[in-house]
Amino acid sequence: MKSKLTSIAEAGNLVFSQNLRITHLSKAGRIEEAVRVFEKMTRRNTVTWNSMISGYAKNGRVGDARRHFDEMPAKNLVSWNTMLAGYLHNDLVEDAANLFDRMPKRDLFSWTLMITCYSRVGDLGKAMQLFQKLPDKSDPVCWNAMIAGYAKNKQFLDARKLFDEMPVKDLISYNSMLAGYTQNEEMRLASDFFEQIPERDVVSWNLMIEGFVQVGDLNMAGKVFGQIPNPNVVSWVTMLSAFARNARVDDARRLFDVMPVRNVVAWNAMITGYVQNLRIEEGYQLFLKMPERNSISWTTMIDGFVRVGLLHKARELLEKMPYKNVAAQTAVIYGYVRSVRLDDARLLFDRIGCRDTVCWNTMISGYAQSGRMDDAMELMLKMPKKDVVSWNILIAGYCQTGEMSKAVEVFDRMVKKNLVSWNSLVSGFTQNGFYMDALRYFLSMNREGMKPDHATFACVLSACANLAALQAGGQLHQLTLKNGHLNNLFVGNGLIALYSKCGRVIEAKQMFDEIIWVDIISWNSLIAGYAINGHGKQAIQLFHEMEADGLRPDEITFVGVLSACSHAGLIDKGVEIFHSMTSEYSIAPVSEHYSCMVDLLGRAGRVEEAYKLVSEMPIEANAGTWGALLGASRIHCNLELAKTAAEKLLEAEPYKTSNYVTLSNIHAEAGRWDEVERIRKLMKERGVIKQPGCSWIEVNNKVHAFFADDPTQPRLSEVCETLKRLTVKMRMIGHLPEFDTGLVD
DNA sequence: ATAGGGTTAG
């Protein structure tokens, strides 16, 4: 018979070892197994409960952690601190703050946790407030937390101030400060500081490696790596992933193969390397071979399959994943969203128990990108905590559906806007043709102290290009130079488009030669620029240069090239190129190409041939094509064909006033007043209203807009005077102005 | 055995 005391001791030992097991399993990411151990235990103590709270929180299941915290029989200070740490690890600052306020007792752990919480999310004001309230500041831990906070938020000068003030420094203080330099690309300061550290440990060395990697100096990183007295697994992984991130996967693999100890992080880093360089099969082989997987291994692999478009493999893996975290499920949702399988995405989304902001945003952006704004709004209203990204998605969505007033409404109601919010709105205006508004908002964003980036410039440059606002565009050009955005492809292309559309082909060519990166869009803009400004031969010359450069022309290229042929009167060349599209480049002509061809044949007087081309088109002719045919037949006085084209044009665009006017004019010229009357009636029945004609001109960097029949125009009389003078002048040199007969008899 | 400050993987 065992004595009672021995039984108690043995039971205690059992609890002790089971607690240890729970801790071990949770740290390895095997939380379900930990739960099983916990559930089988007949006796539990406070440490058991605390370990479970910690385990859940570390595996992203804060809700479960909190449930255990609330249900546990007797909490001690460690329980409170563990829960607080749980919120910290999951970036739930508000929950942490609430808990902190309710704590019956606080110690240095509690204060440090709360300070770290604030500084991790960048709220250094609140962190500092707490730090100042801290009763006893003799321990370096809190100082270190503050220094790390400043360092992570790029305020290494503030970090340095604290560092110099603190009474007792330990190695972590030095490393925290060093991190302030290395994480902010201040490698000169970092190197100097590194030399001053009295006793460096492997973390100090690792920080130096990562710092050099950050500034792109892999040579120095490798050199430092070679000097470390006792590199640890972090040193190896840092170096390995540096290679992987710089497309040197094979170098990474060489390190992986020779490193002395490979933990799960090392395996994950290697898999990430393969996956990010789209070598999915090699990544998957490693995934299958690795001795132990955690949630990151699964998520990386799933994300990899999504990247290469193997959605079914991604989904299969997700179903096999033991505990599905939000990140993995969101990766698959993202995959569905990207392939516009919104219903599959939604089904998965609805299944997820504990969604985070990224998950909500992914689903909402899926709807928004497809223009399903009602669905997007429905989710938005249900979403518990919306961030800037959520609102930005809505703005982008409304821009996409062309509902700019709604986009502006969302924008105006946002309390915290970021650069993306501004850019979304500006790009929305540009994409929907509201170029003036794009420029207006560009000015306000500058006034409000928001610094535009390359995306902003790309948008406003395109706006200027479409407005042919050369002066404003030129100023933007200067700004991009000043802000160093000229090396950006989109900005470069914006500038080429600007000068091309403003008729400045020489400047456009200069831009083309100056920018570092050119792509097919750069070539297309330049070719089109030469084409529409009457330099057809040079445009075609450029087309050949582009090919010699090894770039394959696309649909857009041929629009430019064909219009170049048309403008330069190179009829046979145009016909030849048009045919080569299908025979040599396997590009099926679309209506824009047919319009060019009609225009081209029309200019040569080959109107009937143009009509034949249109009637034999394999795709349906659009308004542009009929418009081109109409123009050609009117110039060559082919009244019958003009009538046909005008009727078709009217069919294609029944709400455009000018089409009625044109058709009516044709009949008027032929003296068919009955037809004129019929069209007038048709217009009335369909409720077509004449849009006021509008034009604008840029003078001294101000755009002046003119509307037809607008008596409020400030300098109307002067304008009319000038017009009259010009008309007289034109008559004198023999030009007969063509007056719009309109719908008058 | 459970809670805090510095480095690596999604």
Side-chain angles (χ1 to χ4, degrees), chain A residues 148-166:
Chain A
Y150 280 127
K152 282 231 159 56
N153 289 283
K154 303 188 182 301
Q155 304 184 26
F156 57 88
L157 290 175
D158 295 303
R160 183 63 199 239
K161 207 165 153 266
L162 273 184
F163 178 81
D164 289 335
E165 277 171 16
M166 68 190 294

Side-chain angles (χ1 to χ4, degrees), chain A residues 594-595 598-599 602 606-615 623-635 638 641-642 644-646 648:
Chain A
Y594 283 100
S595 307
V598 168
D599 197 43
R606 292 150 71 170
V607 192
E608 289 296 337
E609 206 179 324
Y611 180 57
K612 191 163 169 279
L613 186 72
V614 175
S615 21
T625 315
W626 290 119
L629 190 65
L630 176 60
S633 42
R634 289 198 76 187
I635 289 169
N638 189 331
L641 198 51
T644 316
K648 290 285 191 185

Side-chain angles (χ1 to χ4, degrees), chain A residues 484-609:
Chain A
H485 294 303
L486 209 62
N487 50 11
N488 180 273
L489 180 63
F490 292 87
V491 173
N493 284 345
L495 284 164
I496 296 174
L498 170 78
Y499 288 120
S500 292
K501 288 197 179 163
C502 291
R504 304 293 169 106
V505 283
I506 297 172
E507 284 88 343
K509 182 67 169 56
Q510 248 168 27
M511 286 314 309
F512 183 87
D513 292 334
E514 263 175 45
I515 63 177
I516 307 162
W517 301 103
V518 295
D519 66 354
I520 181 116
I521 296 178
S522 331
W523 283 99
N524 289 350
S525 303
L526 194 64
I527 291 173
Y530 274 94
I532 55 176
N533 290 295
H535 307 281
K537 284 194 180 129
Q538 277 126 303
I540 293 158
Q541 171 66 27
L542 277 170
F543 170 65
H544 292 310
E545 276 176 36
M546 167 183 174
E547 284 201 286
D549 229 43
L551 260 126
R552 271 194 79 75
D554 66 1
E555 266 181 22
I556 314 285
T557 320
F558 283 106
V559 176
V561 175
L562 290 177
S563 86
C565 294
S566 163
H567 283 87
L570 300 163
I571 313 299
D572 297 330
K573 181 87 180 161
V575 174
E576 181 199 317
I577 291 178
F578 180 74
H579 287 135
S580 76
M581 280 179 68
T582 16
S583 61
E584 272 179 55
Y585 301 94
S586 340
I587 296 172
V590 297
S591 31
E592 277 79 9
H593 302 116
Y594 283 100
S595 307
C596 287
M597 287 310 289
V598 168
D599 197 43
L600 180 121
L601 294 168
R603 274 165 203 261
R606 292 150 71 170
V607 192
E608 289 296 337
E609 206 179 324

Side-chain angles (χ1 to χ4, degrees), chain A residues 143-197:
Chain A
W143 290 85
N144 293 346
M146 280 308 299
I147 291 173
Y150 280 127
K152 282 231 159 56
N153 289 283
K154 303 188 182 301
Q155 304 184 26
F156 57 88
L157 290 175
D158 295 303
R160 183 63 199 239
K161 207 165 153 266
L162 273 184
F163 178 81
D164 289 335
E165 277 171 16
M166 68 190 294
V168 185
K169 301 174 176 69
D170 61 9
L171 180 53
I172 293 188
S173 321
Y174 278 96
N175 284 342
S176 303
M177 192 56 235
L178 180 63
Y181 296 129
T182 58
Q183 288 165 355
N184 292 292
E185 310 196 335
E186 293 285 346
M187 286 318 285
R188 281 193 59 101
L189 292 172
S191 303
D192 291 343
F193 190 83
F194 182 77
E195 294 299 325
Q196 290 165 25
I197 303 179

Side-chain angles (χ1 to χ4, degrees), chain A residues 333-346:
Chain A
I333 292 181
Y334 173 74
Y336 285 137
V337 161
R338 220 180 43 185
S339 359
V340 206
R341 289 168 60 180
L342 292 177
D343 297 335
D344 290 321
R346 184 58 188 265

